[in-house]
Amino acid sequence: MAKISDFKFIYKFKNSTTLFCEFADDESELLRKINKRYSKTSEFTFDDIEIIEKSMLF
């Protein structure tokens, strides 16, 4: 059975207006998932993204 994440994050890249949604246990896991999905040559850092909303899942 898949583990349910603790939080839903709404975020955007600082050079973009497009919003993205990702489920993760914390900000570190969020960044790992972003890098796994979008990073091709270099890794993103918290300087590259802006977290718009962090909601706890029930």
Side-chain angles (χ1 to χ4, degrees):
M1 179 187 284
K3 179 186 175 300
I4 308 248
S5 297
D6 292 337
F7 295 97
K8 175 181 81 174
F9 292 90
I10 305 293
Y11 68 94
K12 73 179 195 72
F13 293 98
K14 290 193 175 171
N15 61 351
S16 174
T17 58
T18 305
L19 297 177
F20 297 90
C21 178
E22 187 72 62
F23 297 94
D25 291 331
D26 56 26
E27 288 84 352
S28 297
E29 183 182 13
L30 172 67
L31 195 57
R32 281 193 301 277
K33 287 183 172 189
I34 291 170
N35 279 314
K36 184 177 179 181
R37 180 170 293 141
Y38 299 111
S39 179
K40 301 297 183 218
T41 56
S42 62
E43 291 196 354
F44 293 108
T45 67
F46 286 111
D47 292 334
D48 301 314
I49 65 169
E50 178 181 348
I51 296 174
I52 307 296
E53 181 181 317
K54 177 181 176 181
S55 303
M56 182 175 266
L57 301 175
F58 295 99

